[in-house]
Amino acid sequence: MTSISNVSKGSIIRFKGEPHIIESLVHRTPGNLRAFYQANMKNLKTGRNVEYRFSATESVDLIVTERKQYQYLYRDGTDFVMMDTDTFDQINVPEITIGSSARFLKDGIMVFIVFSDDGSILDVELPTFVEVEVMETSPATKDDRATSGTKPAKVETGTEVSVPMFIQSGSIIRVDTRTGEYIERVKK
């Protein structure tokens, strides 16, 4: 247990029995009232955002974590099979642990897995940007390329991304894994 004043943004604590990551922590001293810490946290099991007010003298259970690099191999039902590149050990990671960015996992991509002190998987961190090939999209006419609209495109991982009109099938694009947005076309 450690004082809430020793906790910073990005720390993982055990709050009400479940792991939460601190997204913001602000110290407040309102007028003649006692000081407190306003915390915005994300539950790592459910993905829900939680807001809580800690007393300035309150203690929290800080979780010791370990971050290791793994390589994505293949999908096994609802699990994703990852391999430790040092020991070649394989582990299954549930889809809910990865979250919505799982739709951009492609063979061979390197990810970081955050383990708890008890060995359970807390979080999977994908690269911020991935390069994927556009497999299918409607062809653009000369008039469409002149406008600044967007159209849906199916990429190699099977998900749909909204892309500019000038993107053709076979193009390589860079996508933000956090939001699923098109960033730019990659020239190869």
Side-chain angles (χ1 to χ4, degrees):
M1 299 290 272
T2 185
S3 171
I4 189 68
S5 62
N6 294 332
V7 176
S8 61
K9 178 181 175 181
S11 298
I12 299 175
I13 64 168
R14 191 165 282 114
F15 178 70
K16 295 188 178 177
E18 294 192 343
H20 287 71
I21 187 165
I22 304 285
E23 292 183 335
S24 73
L25 189 67
V26 180
H27 182 260
R28 302 200 187 255
T29 48
N32 61 355
L33 299 174
R34 294 195 185 273
F36 64 89
Y37 284 88
Q38 184 71 38
N40 288 324
M41 306 176 285
K42 180 180 177 185
N43 186 324
L44 293 175
K45 295 242 187 242
T46 64
R48 278 191 157 146
N49 287 331
V50 178
E51 199 169 293
Y52 189 76
R53 188 178 285 187
F54 290 98
S55 159
T57 59
E58 199 167 339
S59 291
V60 293
D61 186 11
L62 192 63
I63 298 176
V64 178
T65 60
E66 180 184 6
R67 216 171 153 249
K68 288 185 79 178
Q69 190 171 29
Y70 278 77
Q71 181 180 22
Y72 169 64
L73 296 178
Y74 60 91
R75 189 172 182 144
D76 184 20
T78 60
D79 290 352
F80 293 91
V81 179
M82 308 280 185
M83 178 182 69
D84 186 338
T85 54
D86 296 331
T87 63
F88 303 109
D89 291 338
Q90 295 181 10
I91 59 170
N92 286 14
V93 179
E95 185 174 7
I96 195 164
T97 306
I98 300 172
S100 64
S101 53
R103 60 194 171 144
F104 296 110
L105 272 176
K106 60 184 207 174
D107 295 347
I109 197 167
M110 300 303 281
V111 299
F112 282 99
I113 299 180
V114 180
F115 291 96
S116 172
D117 49 9
D118 64 358
S120 62
I121 298 171
L122 293 176
D123 195 18
V124 177
E125 301 168 356
L126 268 71
T128 307
F129 304 106
V130 292
E131 294 177 2
V132 290
E133 182 179 354
V134 175
M135 301 308 285
E136 181 182 319
T137 188
S138 61
T141 63
K142 187 175 183 180
D143 295 335
D144 289 339
R145 289 191 301 257
T147 63
S148 62
T150 60
K151 62 183 179 180
K154 195 169 192 172
V155 297
E156 66 182 289
T157 60
T159 192
E160 210 169 83
V161 177
S162 188
V163 297
M165 290 294 195
F166 62 83
I167 298 295
Q168 304 289 330
S169 293
S171 297
I172 306 290
I173 61 172
R174 185 168 288 127
V175 178
D176 188 331
T177 59
R178 301 166 297 184
T179 61
E181 292 179 1
Y182 164 87
I183 301 298
E184 64 183 349
R185 179 171 51 181
V186 178
K187 295 190 170 142
K188 294 239 174 181

